[in-house]
Amino acid sequence: MEGVDHLAHERQKALFDVDEMKVVWAGSRHTLEVSDRMSRLVASDPAFRKDNRTMLSRKELFKNTLRKTAHAWKRIIELQLTEEEASKLRSFVDEPAFTDLHWGMFVPAIKGQGTDEQQQKWLPLAYKMQIIGCYAQTELGHGSNVQGLETTATFDPKTDEFIIDSPTLTSSKWWPGGLGKVSTHAVVYARLITDGQDHGVHGFIVQLRSMDDHMPLPGITVGDIGMKFGNGAYNTMDNGVLRFDHVRIPRDQMLMRVSKVTREGKYVMSNVPRQLVYGTMVYVRQTIVSDASCALSRAVTIATRYSAVRRQFGSQNGSPETQVIDYKTQQSRLFPLLASAYAFRFVGEWLKWLYTDVNQRLQASDFSTLPEVHACTAGLKSLTTSVTADAIEECRKLCGGHGYLCSSGLPELFAVYVPACTYEGDNVVLLLQVARYLMKTVSQLPSGKKPVGTTSYMGRVEHLIRCTSDVQRAEDWLKPNVVLQAFEARAARMSVACAEKLSEFANPEEGFAELSPILVEASAAHCQLIVVSKFIEKLQQDIPGKGVKGQLEILCSVYALHLLHKHQGDFLSTGSISPKQASLANDQLLSLYAKVRPNAIALVDAFNYTDHYLGSVLGRYDGNVYPNLYEEAWKDPLNDSVVPDGYHEYIRPMIKQQLRNARL
């Protein structure tokens, strides 16, 4: 039944304007048009085929990725694509590649930390891809603890050069994407040493390979760190290992926007504030949050479509079996993930605004919001990536046994995504950074210092500690102000309780280490409040289209009440709500699933993903799953021959009881 839309009936149920919801999801009509154009351009080009990726050997997989990235660059040049269009095209090619780090880390690092002269020298080369860069920070022995990095950059005043060295095995750079086999250059982070004094970690532009034959330059040992988790997945990326043996680079290849070393070897801070380097970090983390909504929405699309196609049990008198999506157990696991995808998209939008705002403030030497922004971006990176990684796995289980097939698209999506929980900051370490900011905020309250931004609710801490929820009926939980007060009270009370426990320790650091598990929980509560509040703020905007706002209100309620249900212990133990109110919240949540159900397929259609991008037989737009699963099975290399290789050597002697005589 090829070409038949098995989900057409589901699409007819939608109670909102799907095209307008696509605009809301994309962020603007312009972004939607660009995204739509680029996704279809990739899907229609046979050069970007990816359905065989999980069956390729590592070498074939990597070479295939090089071919695709070269073809993508060729198309970008031929079509004279804008930076926005080029970025979208690369994202829809949907394959981790060296270009991710070149554009996502190498270029922003030079823009954020290089002087005007350095930018004028290096960025044109990088923009034309005449050099290919990576970001070499993490080492074999240190990742999250950047201040503990061991690579050294020692200034030699005799030659006006830095000597980059890896003094220990654990100082080997380890994990940088693109480093293993491709990058010609790297921004290398090393301990700056002048005249025997250690000035801490700074960035340096280092050439790694010859521009003529791509061989490593003298003193440089570089290679790939080996296979990673999953079939295909991140194995398309050449994550690398790098060691330096007294490699010399010119002094002007230290990134000197914030601090520099003079010809005489004197370490000098520039008049550019050091805080400006945080702009790059905010940019990277807001990108990661946006990527989380994208990965989560892909998994949810697959699970939702397949849940509507799959039927199990419930058949009576020859009638069709029940659609899996109609079971409340399926809805209670799936619909909160659907709501989370929308919630993460909207908080990601807000983070883009925050990045622009903090950058403008930094340029004007206004650093007042920086600590709060640092904590906010760290926390949201941690929250969204952890939830998304778990959610992709949950979506796989929601698809039953077939979700375990590579052709479902979910195993590879999971394997590609889970590194996000540890790169750019381990998620638990990041929540502890948030906790430090929260504890400092609470400690400053008696002095009258007003909390800002996402912690402004702390300014009402006395009220939030005393207040009680006025929920009387289940419907009261649909009121945004009621939900917001419950989340604010919980977050404030958890932070204050942590601060009180910390004050009992004579040594604050000892207390922080001892109380770290509950500090992480308080940070998570704060971050969940941010996401809920930003979803509510989104609903206060002008949202056009028939029924769109109403559907988003339902999703917002599902997201918030599911969190309340999941973390009910926190809400009850802090006294933020009563047991009766918790029960009413659960009742309301269950009733909301029935309102999501008619719109479920249309809500995932609004993500506007092509079948090529989803890469899933289970998540096909037309729902024609079974014939295509059957057809996909025969494509496996094991089915190239009817009798398998090895039969005559191993299987036949066993069957014929001839193992003693067989040449094993």
Side-chain angles (χ1 to χ4, degrees):
M1 296 178 69
E2 195 70 41
V4 175
D5 186 348
H6 293 271
L7 295 173
H9 176 66
E10 290 289 334
R11 294 188 167 100
Q12 290 167 3
K13 295 179 183 178
L15 300 174
F16 65 91
D17 187 329
V18 180
D19 288 335
E20 287 299 330
M21 188 68 89
K22 286 180 181 179
V23 175
V24 171
W25 173 260
S28 71
R29 203 167 295 279
H30 166 75
T31 304
L32 174 63
E33 288 168 357
V34 170
S35 181
D36 196 49
R37 197 165 65 251
M38 291 300 106
S39 66
R40 296 185 189 285
L41 178 67
V42 170
S44 63
D45 191 333
F48 294 126
R49 176 192 173 190
K50 64 178 187 179
D51 59 324
N52 63 340
R53 190 163 54 191
T54 58
M55 300 175 194
L56 299 177
S57 70
R58 178 79 200 284
K59 281 192 170 183
E60 290 173 323
L61 189 66
F62 181 64
K63 190 172 182 181
N64 195 40
T65 302
L66 298 185
R67 178 186 59 77
K68 286 186 184 179
T69 49
H71 183 68
W73 185 240
K74 180 170 173 275
R75 297 298 286 146
I76 288 167
I77 294 168
E78 287 173 347
L79 299 171
Q80 298 182 322
L81 299 184
T82 64
E83 196 172 325
E84 179 189 13
E85 290 168 332
S87 176
K88 285 289 183 186
L89 183 142
R90 283 192 292 269
S91 71
F92 287 121
V93 172
D94 188 36
E95 199 151 307
F98 63 89
T99 46
D100 299 352
L101 280 296
H102 177 83
W103 295 108
M105 297 294 286
F106 181 72
V107 168
I110 295 173
K111 286 171 75 173
Q113 298 170 42
T115 61
D116 291 344
E117 293 77 17
Q118 288 174 322
Q119 291 182 40
Q120 287 162 15
K121 176 180 178 179
W122 296 102
L123 289 180
L125 297 172
Y127 283 137
K128 293 176 186 173
M129 295 206 76
Q130 290 174 297
I131 61 171
I132 297 170
C134 68
Y135 188 85
Q137 178 172 291
T138 300
E139 295 176 355
L140 189 55
H142 288 92
S144 295
N145 181 14
V146 176
Q147 297 312 310
L149 295 178
E150 299 175 83
T151 304
T152 57
T154 306
F155 183 64
D156 181 355
K158 294 175 187 173
T159 59
D160 196 27
E161 293 173 318
F162 287 107
I163 303 168
I164 312 291
D165 191 49
S166 306
T168 62
L169 179 69
T170 49
S171 68
S172 306
K173 294 300 179 184
W174 193 273
W175 276 117
L179 169 65
K181 294 295 175 184
V182 176
S183 296
T184 61
H185 291 69
V187 170
V188 174
Y189 287 86
R191 312 194 71 79
L192 170 62
I193 298 170
T194 63
D195 197 23
Q197 186 177 353
D198 187 334
H199 298 282
V201 176
H202 291 68
F204 301 82
I205 300 173
V206 184
Q207 184 174 344
L208 307 176
R209 293 177 167 97
S210 163
M211 300 306 293
D212 295 322
D213 60 8
H214 207 61
M215 291 296 290
L217 296 180
I220 288 175
T221 302
V222 63
D224 187 272
I225 61 172
M227 286 286 284
K228 280 96 53 182
F229 178 69
N231 287 46
Y234 231 89
N235 289 301
T236 57
M237 180 76 83
D238 56 327
N239 297 92
V241 52
L242 171 66
R243 294 200 73 181
F244 298 101
D245 183 3
H246 299 88
V247 173
R248 290 176 173 270
I249 63 168
R251 178 173 54 90
D252 65 4
Q253 285 179 213
M254 170 186 168
L255 291 172
M256 295 192 185
R257 187 176 184 191
V258 171
S259 56
K260 65 179 180 178
V261 173
T262 66
R263 176 65 186 86
E264 297 72 34
K266 187 179 178 184
Y267 180 72
V268 181
M269 296 297 293
S270 75
N271 55 9
V272 174
R274 186 173 183 80
Q275 292 93 331
L276 279 178
V277 300
Y278 286 104
T280 305
M281 181 200 66
V282 175
Y283 168 77
V284 171
R285 286 183 179 162
Q286 65 92 8
T287 302
I288 292 173
V289 173
S290 294
D291 289 346
S293 72
C294 183
L296 176 52
S297 58
R298 287 176 69 175
V300 166
T301 299
I302 295 167
T304 302
R305 286 177 179 169
Y306 183 61
S307 294
V309 169
R310 184 73 169 178
R311 293 176 179 269
Q312 290 291 288
F313 308 115
S315 175
Q316 294 178 350
N317 304 320
S319 61
E321 292 179 273
T322 303
Q323 289 170 278
V324 171
I325 200 171
D326 285 329
Y327 289 106
K328 287 292 179 183
T329 48
Q330 191 82 351
Q331 293 177 7
S332 66
R333 293 163 65 196
L334 177 60
F335 292 168
L337 302 184
L338 174 58
S340 298
Y342 277 89
F344 291 175
R345 175 52 59 109
F346 299 145
V347 82
E349 270 182 17
W350 171 73
L351 275 181
K352 285 181 183 175
W353 170 85
L354 187 69
Y355 167 65
T356 304
D357 179 69
V358 78
N359 246 7
Q360 289 172 348
R361 288 173 182 269
L362 290 175
Q363 298 297 336
S365 296
D366 174 3
F367 311 121
S368 59
T369 63
L370 197 54
E372 187 262 336
V373 169
H374 179 270
C376 169
T377 53
L380 289 175
K381 182 273 176 185
S382 176
L383 173 72
T384 57
T385 55
S386 292
V387 169
T388 297
D390 291 343
I392 296 170
E393 168 60 6
E394 184 68 4
C395 285
R396 183 192 67 77
K397 290 186 279 192
L398 283 163
C399 291
H402 294 337
Y404 194 62
L405 285 167
C406 282
S407 59
S408 76
L410 291 165
E412 192 178 11
L413 179 59
F414 179 72
V416 163
Y417 190 74
V418 286
C421 295
T422 43
Y423 65 55
E424 294 313 304
D426 174 86
N427 282 355
V428 173
V429 173
L430 290 178
L431 286 179
L432 287 171
Q433 290 179 11
V434 177
R436 286 192 182 278
Y437 177 71
L438 291 176
M439 294 305 97
K440 187 176 181 181
T441 300
V442 173
S443 70
Q444 291 175 337
L445 290 175
S447 68
K449 184 172 181 180
K450 290 192 73 174
V452 295
T454 54
T455 53
S456 57
Y457 68 98
M458 289 281 195
R460 295 178 283 110
V461 71
E462 290 183 8
H463 165 72
L464 290 171
I465 287 174
R466 290 195 313 268
C467 73
T468 55
S469 177
D470 57 358
V471 167
Q472 306 278 328
R473 303 167 302 140
E475 297 79 35
D476 290 339
W477 280 115
L478 297 177
K479 299 173 183 174
N481 61 314
V482 169
V483 170
L484 210 50
Q485 179 178 288
F487 274 81
E488 287 179 343
R490 169 212 182 200
R493 294 179 191 197
M494 289 177 76
S495 287
V496 168
C498 285
E500 288 173 349
K501 285 186 169 68
L502 267 177
S503 67
E504 296 170 9
F505 287 81
N507 183 335
E509 284 305 311
E510 182 186 327
F512 200 88
E514 188 65 27
L515 299 173
S516 56
I518 62 169
L519 285 163
V520 163
E521 290 171 359
S523 296
H526 169 69
C527 295
Q528 288 163 2
L529 164 61
I530 295 173
V531 181
V532 169
S533 66
K534 296 307 167 189
F535 205 149
I536 289 171
E537 280 181 20
K538 179 71 177 180
L539 296 175
Q540 292 166 351
Q541 297 173 10
D542 179 33
I543 300 174
K546 177 191 170 189
V548 171
K549 186 169 185 176
Q551 195 55 221
L552 290 177
E553 287 171 344
I554 292 168
L555 289 177
C556 183
S557 294
V558 168
Y559 178 73
L561 295 182
H562 174 72
L563 278 179
L564 192 150
H565 173 69
K566 188 176 179 182
H567 300 280
Q568 207 165 99
D570 288 349
F571 285 91
L572 292 173
S573 65
T574 56
S576 304
I577 61 173
S578 69
K580 174 63 177 173
Q581 289 168 335
S583 178
L584 290 172
N586 293 341
D587 292 343
Q588 184 59 60
L589 179 60
L590 282 174
S591 69
L592 285 169
Y593 293 148
K595 294 185 177 181
V596 176
R597 171 63 188 94
N599 302 288
I601 295 299
L603 282 167
V604 299
D605 284 352
F607 302 146
N608 203 35
Y609 296 141
T610 62
D611 282 347
H612 176 274
Y613 183 61
L614 278 182
S616 170
V617 174
L618 303 188
R620 290 171 59 97
Y621 182 85
D622 62 11
N624 196 21
V625 170
Y626 299 124
N628 286 284
L629 267 183
Y630 186 82
E631 184 183 327
E632 203 66 29
W634 294 105
K635 294 178 183 176
D636 193 282
L638 269 184
N639 288 321
D640 286 350
S641 61
V642 177
V643 177
D645 291 344
Y647 168 77
H648 291 288
E649 296 95 322
Y650 310 117
I651 304 300
R652 182 180 168 81
M654 200 157 33
I655 293 171
K656 299 297 183 182
Q657 301 291 294
Q658 294 170 350
L659 280 178
R660 287 184 183 178
N661 304 326
R663 297 177 63 187
L664 297 180

